[in-house]
Amino acid sequence: MSHVPHELHEEFPEAEETLRTLKANDAHFARLADEYHTINREVHRIETNVEPAADEVLEDLKKKRLHLKDQIAAMLAAAANTVT
């Protein structure tokens, strides 16, 4: 199991500037990114045994993180399509 944090700028390296722009100019995107960051840090703390939790809790958090990542990816794709 990898204990590498899944930061948004690492997940979407090609969209780093778009990430910054959307965080600054789109309140909904900023909320999603903040929620992703919070859950991602919690997952990382559990995986590294800094904050142990039941397997079910970890799996639930990972599902929430993935759902947020999907929403963020869709918004990044839409933003990229409007620029092109």
Side-chain angles (χ1 to χ4, degrees), residues 44-52:
H44 185 66
R45 286 191 306 271
I46 292 169
E47 288 182 337
T48 57
N49 291 318
V50 170
E51 189 176 295

Side-chain angles (χ1 to χ4, degrees), residues 6-23:
H6 296 260
E7 299 296 336
L8 287 175
H9 67 277
E10 295 167 344
E11 295 291 321
F12 303 102
E14 73 288 349
E16 198 165 340
E17 185 173 327
T18 306
L19 281 166
R20 276 194 298 274
T21 301
L22 285 173
K23 282 183 194 178

Side-chain angles (χ1 to χ4, degrees), residues 9-45:
H9 67 277
E10 295 167 344
E11 295 291 321
F12 303 102
E14 73 288 349
E16 198 165 340
E17 185 173 327
T18 306
L19 281 166
R20 276 194 298 274
T21 301
L22 285 173
K23 282 183 194 178
N25 299 315
D26 185 321
H28 178 66
F29 185 88
R31 184 187 61 73
L32 290 176
D34 287 345
E35 188 175 352
Y36 178 92
H37 179 74
T38 300
I39 291 173
N40 187 50
R41 286 292 166 195
E42 191 170 348
V43 167
H44 185 66
R45 286 191 306 271

Side-chain angles (χ1 to χ4, degrees), residues 48-82:
T48 57
N49 291 318
V50 170
E51 189 176 295
D55 289 343
E56 297 82 23
V57 171
L58 178 60
E59 290 307 312
D60 187 46
L61 288 169
K62 285 182 174 182
K63 287 176 185 177
K64 288 179 183 176
R65 178 177 68 182
L66 182 58
H67 181 69
L68 288 166
K69 182 179 170 186
D70 288 345
Q71 291 178 62
I72 290 167
M75 292 181 78
L76 288 172
N81 289 335
T82 60

